[in-house]
């Protein structure tokens, strides 16, 4: 399944400089809708797109915080500016927070959407984004192994009660089940904590942003 986004807040300056405003380019365009500060090129609503066809491309930019990026499309004239918008919800993934990385190659379809477009126009975005082989894009586990240290190992699981989670501040706290033993704590080590903080990036909420929760 796929989930939400970690705050999603770091891409506006990059997008403003790199994405360009307005359309043009080969494949149509010239006007644009706007999405989170990015002016999305539009095409006429009768612009022909084979939504069943699969294409290959390379990620030119992706912000995990914002949850979107762009695919560099090598096929000239397929989409305006030879670049296609990609949103995290359109990535096939089992990661908590689906994401892509710069310069990785992907396979994708193209979808037309009327939202944010002037009447008679549509925007284009990638859909069903996978690895070039067609497999799901699962990057989180390897990234976690590189960047984090896990108490009890990466697959260890513990139980407790979610005291609260507030999506507006992007974190909450879990009260650990009494008697929980944590490697390196207790005995002659540091006291075993009774609570742990949980960040939004660690909440697996299926295909939606995590909602506010209490005493779960």
């Amino acid at each position: 399944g796929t989930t939400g986004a970690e705050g999603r807040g770091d891409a506006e300056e990059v997008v403003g400089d790199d994405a360009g405003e307005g359309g043009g380019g080969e494949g149509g365009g010239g006007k644009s809708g706007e999405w989170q500060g990015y002016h999305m090129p539009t095409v006429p609503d009768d612009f022909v797109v084979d939504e069943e066809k699969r294409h290959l491309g390379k990620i030119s930019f992706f912000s995990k915080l914002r949850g979107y990026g762009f695919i560099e499309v090598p096929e000239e004239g397929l989409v305006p500016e030879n670049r296609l918008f990609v949103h995290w919800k359109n990535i096939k993934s089992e990661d908590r927070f689906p994401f892509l990385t710069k310069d990785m190659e992907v396979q994708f379809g193209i979808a037309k959407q009327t939202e944010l477009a002037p009447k008679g126009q549509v925007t284009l975005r990638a859909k069903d984004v996978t690895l070039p082989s067609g497999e799901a894009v699962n990057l989180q586990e390897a990234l976690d192994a590189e960047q984090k240290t896990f108490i009890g190992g990466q697959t260890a699981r513990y139980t407790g009660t979610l005291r609260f989670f507030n999506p507006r501040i992007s974190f909450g706290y879990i009260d650990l089940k009494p008697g929980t033993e944590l490697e390196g704590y207790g005995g002659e080590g540091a006291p075993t904590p009774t609570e742990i903080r949980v960040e939004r990036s660690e909440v697996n909420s299926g295909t939606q942003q995590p909602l506010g929760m209490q005493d779960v």
Side-chain angles (χ1 to χ4, degrees):
T2 57
T3 61
E6 295 178 323
R8 310 294 201 201
D10 71 345
E12 293 198 358
E13 182 176 351
V14 175
V15 170
D17 291 339
D18 183 53
E21 297 193 5
E26 296 185 314
K31 297 182 179 179
S32 62
E34 184 169 324
W35 196 87
Q36 292 195 8
Y38 169 59
H39 293 270
M40 298 177 66
T42 62
V43 295
D45 57 11
D46 60 356
F47 185 81
V48 177
V49 171
D50 184 348
E51 296 199 10
E52 300 303 316
K53 188 175 180 179
R54 305 289 290 168
H55 308 273
L56 294 175
K58 183 169 68 174
I59 302 303
S60 60
F61 166 80
F62 193 89
S63 167
K64 189 177 181 183
L65 294 179
R66 274 291 188 188
Y68 70 85
F70 307 97
I71 300 173
E72 180 182 319
V73 181
E75 186 176 342
E76 289 289 333
L78 184 64
V79 296
E81 303 174 7
N82 297 324
R83 181 167 54 176
L84 188 64
F85 178 86
V86 55
H87 189 265
W88 68 268
K89 286 187 176 181
N90 299 114
I91 303 171
K92 285 195 170 183
S93 177
E94 295 179 359
D95 287 341
R96 296 185 301 276
F97 286 83
F99 66 99
L100 303 165
T101 58
K102 180 176 171 59
D103 294 330
M104 75 177 292
E105 295 185 348
V106 294
Q107 182 185 133
F108 59 93
I110 301 175
K112 297 163 67 172
Q113 291 203 344
T114 57
E115 64 175 328
L116 307 178
K119 185 176 181 180
Q121 300 277 310
V122 295
T123 60
L124 304 178
R125 66 172 60 190
K127 69 171 187 175
D128 299 329
V129 179
T130 68
L131 296 177
S133 63
E135 297 177 294
V137 180
N138 298 323
L139 306 178
Q140 191 68 55
E141 186 173 335
L143 185 66
D144 284 350
E146 292 177 4
Q147 298 182 348
K148 300 178 180 179
T149 299
F150 293 87
I151 295 176
Q154 188 168 357
T155 60
R157 306 291 290 173
Y158 302 93
T159 57
T161 300
L162 180 64
R163 189 192 316 156
F164 77 89
F165 177 81
N166 185 335
R168 296 187 65 182
I169 57 177
S170 301
F171 71 87
Y173 278 89
I174 295 173
D175 293 321
L176 290 173
K177 182 179 179 180
T180 297
E181 296 183 0
L182 301 178
E183 182 180 341
Y185 291 87
E188 297 180 359
T192 301
T194 60
E195 64 179 21
I196 57 173
R197 175 167 164 149
V198 56
E199 305 286 344
R200 174 162 30 189
S201 62
E202 301 298 334
V203 179
N204 193 333
S205 55
T207 59
Q208 303 297 324
Q209 293 272 13
L211 303 176
M213 296 173 281
Q214 186 173 356
D215 298 328
V216 177

